[in-house]
């Protein structure tokens, strides 16, 4: 089925949904949101794209295998907790750094890396399921 309205709407909505997903991801370690909800929102963008264009254009747009996202996400989430262990703190203790270049305007911490890891695991899982269902 060729729906020109769906394809045109998809071109507009996918970008907006992905930007909102990034917003949720970076907002999450200070307020509600985070890796899980951001990945669910990003998954809806890719689902919409797969419905409108099919699974092959989604794979081409990703340029990476979804299972690779899962592996990198697990590595990042586990690694963010191990940083605290390496300096003698309990596993998953939040640590923050303020880059000198930004004069303290931005604090980067291990909760952000954990959220990004969760984001990659959940998005990789959603994409794996979605693409396998679309291809059959």
């Amino acid at each position: 089925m060729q729906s020109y309205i769906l394809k045109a709407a998809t071109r507009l909505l996918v970008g907006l949904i992905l930007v909102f997903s990034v917003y949720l991801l970076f907002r999450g370690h200070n307020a509600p949101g985070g890796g899980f909800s951001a990945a669910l929102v990003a998954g809806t963008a890719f689902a919409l794209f797969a419905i409108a264009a099919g699974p092959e254009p989604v794979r081409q747009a990703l340029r990476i295998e979804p299972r690779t996202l899962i592996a990198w996400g697990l590595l990042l989430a586990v690694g963010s907790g191990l940083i605290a262990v390496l300096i003698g703190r309990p596993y998953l203790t939040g640590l923050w750094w303020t880059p000198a270049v930004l004069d303290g305007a931005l604090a980067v911490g291990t909760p952000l890396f954990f959220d990004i890891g969760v984001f990659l695991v959940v998005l990789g899982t959603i994409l794996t399921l979605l693409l396998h269902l679309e291809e059959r």
Side-chain angles (χ1 to χ4, degrees), residues 22-109:
V22 171
Y23 167 75
L24 283 176
L25 175 65
F26 287 118
R27 181 179 183 264
H29 64 282
N30 291 327
F36 188 80
S37 59
L40 292 179
V41 170
T44 61
F46 286 110
L48 178 63
F49 187 37
I51 289 169
E56 192 55 38
V58 174
R59 286 193 185 276
Q60 291 173 355
L62 285 174
R63 298 182 184 161
I64 189 168
E65 182 67 28
R67 285 177 279 175
T68 306
L69 290 175
I70 296 170
W72 280 107
L74 282 172
L75 183 68
L76 190 58
V78 170
S80 70
L82 289 176
I83 293 172
V85 172
L86 293 175
I87 64 168
R89 300 255 179 102
Y91 183 71
L92 285 178
T93 299
L95 303 171
W96 284 267
W97 303 274
T98 52
V101 202
L102 300 173
D103 294 327
L106 176 70
V108 178

Side-chain angles (χ1 to χ4, degrees), residues 104-134:
L106 176 70
V108 178
T110 56
L112 175 63
F113 296 125
F114 181 78
D115 279 343
I116 293 172
V118 169
F119 176 82
L120 291 175
V121 169
V122 174
L123 183 61
T125 304
I126 290 171
L127 288 172
T128 300
L129 294 171
L130 174 74
L131 292 175
H132 281 293
L133 288 173
E134 282 284 326

